[in-house]
Amino acid sequence: MSIQATLNNAMSGLRVAQSSLQILSLNISNAAVPDYTRKELVQKSKGGNVDGLGGVTVASYERSTDRLTYKALNQSLTESGYSGVGDDYLSRVQGLIGSSSDSPKLPSLLDRFNSAWRSLEAAPESVVQQREVISSGQSLAQEIQRLSAGVEELDRSLRTDTGDAIEQLNLSLETITTLNNQVSNGKANNLPTGDFEDRRDTELRKVCGLLDITIMERKDGSVALYTPDGYPLLDQLPKTFTYNGATITDTINSIDVTSYLKGGKIEALLDIRSDTSPAAPSSNATEEVIRKLRSQLDLVASSFLTVAAGPPQSFASAYNSGAAQAGELNQNFFTGTDRLDIAINANLMNGTSVIKKASIAATAAALDADTRSFTADGLSVPTGGYTNMVSSLVAVWSQSAGHAKDINDINKGQSESLEKRYKDSVGVNIDEEVLNMTTLQTAYTASARVITAVKQMFDILESLMSG
């Protein structure tokens, strides 16, 4: 090998070592940055020839990738995005209604109401017991109204969260489009694009949490996004969507795309609010939740409002039976039409009337009767009493919340495991980078010594030739 070739090899090695050291320093300084992937140099031979132009050069800058884990991670984010919403909202439902382990208010207030009627039956002339019946009945009606108002608040929260999720989808699609352009322009000009791709992956993971997507990589480095059934979300240009509280619309084509957006947070929010009436409700714990809650609370209210001869008589039918004396409330102990407006009769509340003595025994018996059947969306009590009805309501939602939490814990754990595996695969390992830096520093020093030796040889030759 000629002296010139030796010098060229040493110089190219020196330049590559310098570039590699810069990349290693960049990796180390960004090791704690979320979603940062390890950057690497791709080298290529310059090719030796008679002119001595050998050595290596930097071909490109690339980031570390692990496609299989990356795909599995994105899918797990979609699954945990869905189950996370179910866990969140069913936890809220349990917080609203209570669970069998924390003395929920509705069963407790019904027990108090039952006890008050039995005490009044034992002492029908007692003004104190009359007041306790009215007071406990008022508390029961207010609790039904509170729960009903809570359900409507959950429904409003679902609409708000769905709108926010759609806005996040629009923002992420727009951001990915911008990053697509930066990646494709960088690759066209042989410039580093790793940081743009890292930022794009961050946005892609956000989208995966919102819905199930298929990611198509283009030759220019850009990506296109589709739903699994082929509906385009981003193909060169992003779609934009709007949510009106019921449906999701593609604003460009003005078409309803609600059924196209499957998986992730968006579908979970839609499923909780869905209502397939008059068909039977879904047996899935996280579907048609609002519909089931409304139906079940309407059942509770109607069991006190509806006049039914039985047997056994309903509460309202039992109270309405028997003749009223002067000053007594003849009928309609409770007034209203459903869960939202059930209330104690105003004449009892303001003292205009008192409880009808002739109906006390029948009403107490109606409350104690345990041969009823209750059916509402998502709730069935084949045989039981009023207490069984409200206890079953609490138990249904306690079990649903527990099931949703178990599913989400599994999905969340899987996502966290895959995320760790992905970061271990493509992230920065400080120990490895420091070791690589030491190796490169040694190579850099060796190349520098070769250059120094060649320079000394040239100096000697020049001295000999001038002498």
Side-chain angles (χ1 to χ4, degrees):
M1 179 184 292
S2 68
I3 294 178
Q4 184 63 46
T6 301
L7 182 60
N8 285 336
N9 286 341
M11 289 296 293
S12 66
L14 193 64
R15 285 191 290 267
V16 169
Q18 285 178 320
S19 297
S20 295
L21 285 168
Q22 290 174 348
I23 290 295
L24 287 175
S25 298
L26 181 67
N27 286 339
I28 292 172
S29 64
N30 286 280
V33 176
D35 301 329
Y36 178 86
T37 59
R38 186 174 64 255
K39 305 303 184 297
E40 299 170 342
L41 290 181
V42 178
Q43 303 176 24
K44 69 176 181 179
S45 174
K46 295 172 65 175
N49 54 42
V50 295
D51 296 323
L53 298 176
V56 294
T57 186
V58 176
S60 62
Y61 298 85
E62 293 185 354
R63 63 183 191 138
S64 180
T65 58
D66 182 348
R67 295 183 181 278
L68 290 178
T69 306
Y70 177 76
K71 184 176 181 180
L73 173 59
N74 286 344
Q75 183 60 46
S76 74
L77 290 172
T78 300
E79 293 169 358
S80 60
Y82 186 98
S83 62
V85 171
D87 183 18
D88 176 29
Y89 270 91
L90 284 176
S91 176
R92 295 193 208 182
V93 170
Q94 186 172 16
L96 176 67
I97 294 176
S99 68
S100 54
S101 62
D102 61 7
S103 300
K105 290 184 66 177
L106 186 60
S108 296
L109 291 173
L110 179 58
D111 285 344
R112 178 190 167 195
F113 189 53
N114 286 356
S115 178
W117 276 98
R118 287 193 294 271
S119 297
L120 181 61
E121 183 182 17
E125 300 295 334
S126 172
V127 174
V128 173
Q129 293 304 325
Q130 283 250 352
R131 289 175 179 171
E132 173 59 15
V133 168
I134 295 170
S135 174
S136 61
Q138 181 188 26
S139 297
L140 178 61
Q142 288 175 338
E143 175 63 8
I144 296 171
Q145 286 193 24
R146 184 191 73 84
L147 293 173
S148 301
V151 172
E152 301 312 307
E153 178 58 33
L154 286 174
D155 188 51
R156 287 189 291 272
S157 179
L158 282 163
R159 292 199 301 271
T160 299
D161 286 352
T162 305
D164 290 345
I166 294 302
E167 286 302 313
Q168 178 60 64
L169 176 60
N170 290 336
L171 178 60
S172 290
L173 292 178
E174 186 67 35
T175 302
I176 292 169
T177 301
T178 300
L179 292 167
N180 267 345
N181 293 334
Q182 292 171 322
V183 171
S184 58
N185 289 338
K187 288 187 179 297
N189 293 284
N190 199 31
L191 296 174
T193 61
D195 288 342
F196 296 135
E197 292 174 271
D198 286 348
R199 289 165 54 194
R200 187 175 64 187
D201 276 354
T202 299
E203 292 301 323
L204 286 170
R205 282 193 281 274
K206 290 179 183 178
V207 175
C208 288
L210 295 173
L211 74 162
D212 193 6
I213 60 172
T214 298
I215 303 173
M216 305 289 291
E217 296 183 8
R218 302 302 191 196
K219 291 182 179 180
D220 64 354
S222 64
V223 296
L225 307 183
Y226 295 85
T227 64
D229 58 3
Y231 183 81
L233 301 170
L234 186 160
D235 193 347
Q236 294 186 332
L237 294 176
K239 292 292 183 66
T240 58
F241 304 96
T242 56
Y243 176 66
N244 63 6
T247 59
I248 301 170
T249 303
D250 178 340
T251 56
I252 296 175
N253 300 316
S254 299
I255 60 173
D256 181 356
V257 298
T258 309
S259 62
Y260 299 156
L261 306 184
K262 297 296 185 181
K265 182 177 182 178
I266 290 175
E267 185 181 22
L269 291 166
L270 294 172
D271 280 351
I272 293 173
R273 291 196 70 229
S274 63
D275 187 341
T276 61
S277 301
S282 169
S283 59
N284 190 311
T286 57
E287 293 180 5
E288 301 192 75
V289 171
I290 299 300
R291 169 191 174 179
K292 293 171 185 174
L293 284 167
R294 287 169 173 164
S295 177
Q296 291 169 22
L297 289 172
D298 272 337
L299 171 66
V300 175
S302 67
S303 68
F304 292 101
L305 293 170
T306 302
V307 176
Q313 283 183 304
S314 67
F315 174 90
S317 180
Y319 184 85
N320 290 353
S321 65
Q325 302 298 316
E328 294 181 340
L329 180 71
N330 184 43
Q331 58 183 3
N332 300 332
F333 183 93
F334 287 106
T335 61
T337 58
D338 57 25
R339 69 189 186 281
L340 296 171
D341 62 359
I342 184 173
I344 292 290
N345 193 297
N347 289 330
L348 289 175
M349 291 300 299
N350 61 26
T352 303
S353 301
V354 296
I355 295 172
K356 184 170 52 176
K357 294 184 180 64
S359 67
I360 292 175
T363 304
L367 285 170
D368 284 335
D370 60 1
T371 57
R372 304 180 188 279
S373 63
F374 301 97
T375 303
D377 292 336
L379 177 67
S380 177
V381 182
T383 304
Y386 287 111
T387 299
N388 300 105
M389 172 185 60
V390 297
S391 297
S392 296
L393 186 155
V394 171
V396 162
W397 292 109
S398 180
Q399 292 169 5
S400 295
H403 178 71
K405 183 180 186 305
D406 289 343
I407 295 297
N408 187 49
D409 285 347
I410 292 171
N411 289 338
K412 185 178 179 182
Q414 184 177 32
S415 292
E416 290 174 350
S417 175
L418 285 168
E419 185 173 8
K420 183 179 184 303
R421 187 192 307 174
Y422 184 71
K423 287 185 176 180
D424 288 345
S425 176
V426 305
V428 177
N429 184 306
I430 296 292
D431 292 337
E432 289 182 3
E433 297 299 292
V434 171
L435 179 61
N436 290 335
M437 181 172 287
T438 301
T439 302
L440 284 170
Q441 286 173 334
T442 301
Y444 184 90
T445 302
S447 295
R449 286 176 178 174
V450 170
I451 294 172
T452 300
V454 170
K455 181 179 182 300
Q456 290 174 346
M457 292 175 65
F458 272 115
D459 289 343
I460 292 171
L461 289 173
E462 184 180 4
S463 175
L464 292 172
M465 291 176 65
S466 63

